Amino acid sequence: MLLSRRKAIIGIGAGTASLLGLSACSHIGNENMARIAPFGATPSNRHLAWHDLETYGFVHFSMNTFTDREWGYGDEHPSLFNPTDFSARQIVDSAKAGGLRGLILTAKHHDGFCLWPSQYTEHSVKNCPYKGGKGDIVGELSKACAKAGLKFGVYLSPWDRNHAEYGRPAYVAYYHNQLEELTTGYGPLFEVWFDGANGGDGYYGGARERRKIEAATYYQWDKIREIVRRNQPDAVMFADEHMDVRWVGNEKGVAGDPCWPTVDETPYTMPKGNKGVRGGHIWNPAETNTSIRPGWFWHADENDKVRSPANLLRLYMTSVGRGTNLLLNLPPDRRGRIHEADVASLTGFKAILDQAYSADLAEGAIVFASSTFGRGYESGNVLKDTGYWAAKETDRQGAWLQLALPKVERFDFIRLEEAIELGVRVDTFVLEIDAGGDWQEIARHTGIGHQRIVRLDQPVATDKIRLRTLSAAASPALSSFHLYLLPAIVEEPSIKRAADGTVTIESAEDSVEILYSLDGQAPSAVYSTPVSLGEGGTLKALARRGDNESAVVTVDFDVAPLNWKIIRANGEGSDAILSRYKGWNAAAFTGPPGQAVEIVLDVARSYKLKGFTLQPASQNPYGAGPPAAFTAWVSENLNDWGAPVAQDEFSNIAANRSEQYIRFETAKAGRYLKIRLPKAVNGLEVIAVGGIGIITR
């Protein structure tokens, strides 16, 4: 996979180069060269190194792997953590198979269980069966990364649902001590990750209560930053704000378009995290995090829901392609290894990019420009390993850079990079190709930054291409302009079901044939009209163009909410409870302010109910949020409810708005489902729900 090339700065003095931590090339370090003034915020040394990584992995592996949860409560006994065949090398090899350049391990998640033998707690691997309590997952993975040439980082959750002193000063000292352990005992770290989940219900040494903290001040962030800077000066720190790297604002793997690497001092919001602030005076680029599976931790029932290589390519384009870094989660299973399905997808993803990047179709081009800042800033530098092209200071709007290729080439993948050491300078630009003597626009975008990858819908053929700025805050300074052709891949189709059970299959690509099956076999029937799956079933589908086929998409549907009735729902917008198949724009059901919600559903006939699903609302009204916990009952007659069939919390629902699947320990026959939702997440006053379904399969 192509490595981003951080080029030497041309035309700056040795003192400035030293300050930036860059080495000036001898043939361009002439003091007589004109110097270009940086524009706005610029990246630090550690930022530059971080930007060049582009893709790396998250390793969510802890107590939740063995309890089948996403968030542990904190009362789990250390003996539950027992990987049967842990292999740090296999995890590292799996990451390399996907082209990832580093790994960040969840050294401690919210349940407080530590994957290293911390001297400050007994709630760690030193009291689990793995290696008789002599194991150190953090140490083993750190060494495996170093041996394989991967960067290593750690995740240390500020929230600790196990520690008796959480919420009090003693816990802060404990947390700082653990940070000292991790930043001094495991070699160089490239990133230290601080989760945004802070405070709530927990075990807390047996207190079993809700504790609230003031996240902005409680942990003493100045002290945390001092610890990391002192022990790991080259590491970036991640958090929503006031750190080196910001959250992109979602867990879907989609950065804003554009996604500026700068912000201002206004409070963090998810929209601000997603798009940044043009002209902000703080260099604070976004990290785009998502998982290769629906959940962050491994779950056996997600082995057939791993993202396909084509899906990973889309994530690459909506993250790395928009100038952010992609943090892709790879959760080890209960063996302590990355599952074979995940490895196959990673390998296929890397193969796609390797093939594309194997031939730079711009090689050998003659490069022309609207202007040049001076000697050393020539247009041809965009094709070299050092230097960059810079236009004259007065050449902003309408500045252009043209590649005259040795021959006509077909390409659909254009990679651009600004010399971000000089700030973000270009705003809006167009790409144009020569089409019979006329310039034809093929793409228009806002923002380049560290890089902009433009993926065309279809390959184009030409021997001339140019980039032309429509607006720029400063004269352009571009370090790279490269052309590639992606291999012939077909993206898998999307499958949607309406509330009446009607299933439609669609492809985002033109000129493809869709095949499907309903019997669990390989797709073979040609899709032409919607099919009905009101009572549920398994649908498999693929898209085909010529001899090329997409990955097979498999969706397991349960009973559709046809003829269901809402018997009781104390709140507003109860119809939204049954609109779960209408998509993300469905209205939310909201409960009374400050009160619990109770919903009773009539699902039309008796089923052997194995669980229920809850879809969080796509957009919560002000002061409203998804439910934090639930209690569920099943009945045949609305009178005899008996004991609850399930009672627990919704793990990670505050940040991950995917559908929640709650399975009962024991199935129970019934026609009526009652769900009580006691409170909303994060202490919000109003509970919001997007939809409820049942599990019978």
Side-chain angles (χ1 to χ4, degrees):
M1 191 181 296
L2 181 74
L3 289 173
S4 175
R5 299 176 300 148
R6 179 59 47 216
K7 297 185 176 184
I9 286 188
I10 303 178
I12 63 175
T16 305
S18 176
L19 178 64
L20 292 174
L22 300 169
S23 59
C25 294
S26 59
H27 68 286
I28 61 175
N30 192 326
E31 289 295 330
N32 294 322
M33 289 173 56
R35 301 179 184 180
I36 300 176
F39 172 80
T42 55
S44 67
N45 258 5
R46 62 181 68 91
H47 278 129
L48 292 174
W50 175 86
H51 275 294
D52 283 346
L53 288 175
E54 295 187 358
T55 58
Y56 42 90
F58 228 165
V59 180
H60 274 66
F61 182 55
S62 191
M63 191 64 71
N64 296 327
T65 308
F66 301 90
T67 60
D68 206 27
R69 304 182 72 181
E70 284 289 294
W71 281 10
Y73 188 71
D75 59 354
E76 300 84 6
H77 195 276
S79 63
L80 293 174
F81 184 82
N82 188 21
T84 58
D85 192 21
F86 178 75
S87 174
R89 178 176 177 178
Q90 191 271 347
I91 295 171
V92 168
D93 287 348
S94 300
K96 292 191 72 172
L100 306 183
R101 299 172 184 141
L103 290 174
I104 299 174
L105 173 66
T106 54
K108 185 190 76 168
H109 204 251
H110 311 323
D111 53 59
F113 183 75
C114 300
L115 293 184
W116 78 103
S118 173
Q119 64 175 302
Y120 299 102
T121 181
E122 297 302 305
H123 198 56
S124 76
V125 289
K126 64 187 178 185
N127 287 310
C128 80
Y130 176 63
K131 290 190 174 181
K134 303 297 182 182
D136 184 347
I137 301 296
V138 178
E140 291 182 50
L141 193 60
S142 172
K143 292 176 182 177
C145 282
K147 186 174 182 179
L150 266 62
K151 301 293 185 180
F152 181 65
V154 294
Y155 163 119
L156 185 66
S157 171
W159 187 21
D160 190 320
R161 306 175 87 181
N162 172 267
H163 202 279
E165 296 299 315
Y166 182 81
R168 302 164 185 155
Y171 173 75
V172 178
Y174 167 81
Y175 188 71
H176 292 170
N177 285 334
Q178 291 200 315
L179 186 59
E180 288 277 3
E181 287 184 316
L182 290 173
T183 56
T184 58
Y186 295 99
L189 304 176
F190 82 94
E191 184 165 343
V192 181
W193 218 90
F194 301 107
D195 198 287
N198 291 290
D201 295 332
Y203 175 68
Y204 304 131
R208 296 188 180 275
E209 60 189 17
R210 180 177 183 81
R211 294 184 182 175
K212 298 178 66 175
I213 54 97
E214 178 51 58
T217 58
Y218 171 64
Y219 300 107
Q220 300 177 20
W221 290 109
D222 286 346
K223 175 67 173 176
I224 287 173
R225 284 188 285 267
E226 186 276 324
I227 291 171
V228 176
R229 288 285 184 260
R230 169 168 38 87
N231 297 332
Q232 297 287 341
D234 296 328
V236 297
M237 288 176 276
F238 169 93
D240 290 350
E241 56 186 339
H242 304 307
M243 292 294 185
D244 302 294
V245 180
R246 73 178 192 264
W247 183 38
V248 80
N250 64 65
E251 295 180 346
K252 300 176 182 178
V254 180
D257 189 3
C259 187
W260 303 108
T262 54
V263 300
D264 57 21
E265 291 181 342
T266 60
Y268 177 90
T269 63
M270 286 191 285
K272 177 180 172 180
N274 193 244
K275 289 185 175 293
V277 176
R278 178 59 173 128
H281 63 282
I282 302 169
W283 194 273
N284 184 226
E287 181 180 77
T288 303
N289 63 323
T290 193
S291 183
I292 198 169
R293 291 164 170 252
W296 288 97
F297 287 89
W298 178 85
H299 306 287
D301 60 0
E302 293 179 357
N303 286 342
D304 61 350
K305 297 178 176 64
V306 176
R307 293 182 185 272
S308 70
N311 185 278
L312 292 176
L313 180 66
R314 288 201 297 272
L315 291 181
Y316 180 84
M317 296 298 176
T318 58
S319 56
V320 176
R322 295 175 182 173
T324 76
N325 280 7
L326 174 61
L327 175 57
L328 180 65
N329 182 58
L330 312 176
D333 57 23
R334 291 177 183 173
R335 297 173 300 175
R337 293 170 174 260
I338 305 301
H339 192 272
E340 291 77 6
D342 305 55
V343 175
S345 187
L346 289 165
T347 303
F349 165 60
K350 184 175 184 295
I352 293 171
L353 286 181
D354 281 349
Q355 182 174 337
Y357 282 136
S358 65
D360 181 2
L361 303 175
E363 186 175 351
I366 300 174
V367 189
F368 304 93
S370 56
S371 69
T372 300
F373 187 82
R375 186 174 62 84
Y377 303 104
E378 290 82 4
S379 57
N381 289 336
V382 297
L383 301 182
K384 299 178 180 178
D385 292 334
T386 59
Y388 55 88
W389 163 68
K392 291 181 179 179
E393 289 182 332
T394 56
D395 192 8
R396 298 183 183 182
Q397 182 174 336
W400 55 265
L401 187 70
Q402 176 184 325
L403 305 184
L405 308 178
K407 60 184 179 68
V408 172
E409 298 282 7
R410 292 179 71 250
F411 55 87
D412 57 4
F413 186 166
I414 305 157
R415 181 173 174 131
L416 308 167
E417 296 182 35
E418 282 190 274
I420 58 173
E421 298 89 344
L422 298 176
V424 177
R425 306 169 76 86
V426 175
D427 287 288
T428 303
F429 67 94
V430 295
L431 289 167
E432 301 165 315
I433 61 171
D434 178 52
D438 295 322
W439 286 108
Q440 174 187 338
E441 181 178 322
I442 58 172
R444 178 181 297 233
H445 289 282
T446 299
I448 298 176
H450 166 63
Q451 74 173 336
R452 162 70 71 165
I453 296 176
V454 177
R455 182 185 182 187
L456 304 176
D457 293 335
Q458 297 291 335
V460 295
T462 188
D463 62 354
K464 295 183 181 67
I465 179 173
R466 76 177 180 185
L467 177 150
R468 181 167 56 88
T469 64
L470 299 181
S471 61
S475 55
L478 298 182
S479 61
S480 295
F481 191 162
H482 299 282
L483 310 175
Y484 305 98
L485 179 65
L486 285 165
I489 57 172
V490 183
E491 297 185 12
E492 60 270 27
S494 61
I495 301 172
K496 298 180 181 179
R497 186 176 70 166
D500 64 359
T502 301
V503 178
T504 56
I505 313 173
E506 300 175 347
S507 173
E509 300 188 67
D510 296 328
S511 305
V512 297
E513 181 181 51
I514 296 176
L515 306 179
Y516 76 100
S517 69
L518 298 174
D519 57 3
Q521 302 301 310
S524 58
V526 177
Y527 173 81
S528 58
T529 59
V531 298
S532 179
L533 282 177
E535 287 296 305
T538 298
L539 188 147
K540 294 186 175 185
L542 61 81
R544 182 169 65 188
R545 182 191 296 113
D547 295 331
N548 299 306
E549 293 183 347
S550 73
V552 175
V553 182
T554 302
V555 179
D556 293 316
F557 290 109
D558 218 301
V559 179
L562 183 64
N563 298 322
W564 290 12
K565 295 179 181 178
I566 303 168
I567 304 298
R568 181 166 65 253
N570 60 320
E572 298 182 1
S574 58
D575 286 347
I577 296 171
L578 304 183
S579 68
R580 58 193 294 267
Y581 297 109
K582 293 182 180 178
W584 287 102
N585 293 322
F589 163 79
T590 55
Q595 295 184 31
V597 163
E598 188 169 282
I599 300 168
V600 179
L601 289 181
D602 177 358
V603 296
R605 69 176 180 84
S606 181
Y607 292 96
K608 188 174 183 180
L609 296 179
K610 298 180 180 180
F612 73 93
T613 65
L614 183 139
Q615 175 66 63
S618 59
Q619 295 182 350
N620 294 319
Y622 180 77
F630 66 89
T631 305
W633 295 263
V634 173
S635 174
E636 288 280 17
N637 55 24
L638 284 177
N639 294 316
D640 302 323
W641 292 102
V645 290
Q647 184 173 8
D648 207 340
E649 64 178 2
F650 292 110
S651 298
N652 198 28
I653 196 172
N656 184 357
R657 300 302 173 86
S658 60
E659 193 168 27
Q660 306 284 310
Y661 285 78
I662 306 300
R663 291 191 175 273
F664 306 150
E665 288 189 9
T666 304
K668 183 176 180 180
R671 174 172 173 169
Y672 302 96
L673 173 67
K674 179 168 67 173
I675 302 173
R676 187 175 189 276
L677 309 172
K679 57 190 174 183
V681 299
N682 299 329
L684 294 170
E685 286 293 304
V686 176
I687 296 170
V689 175
I692 292 176
I694 60 174
I695 300 174
T696 65
R697 297 166 59 83

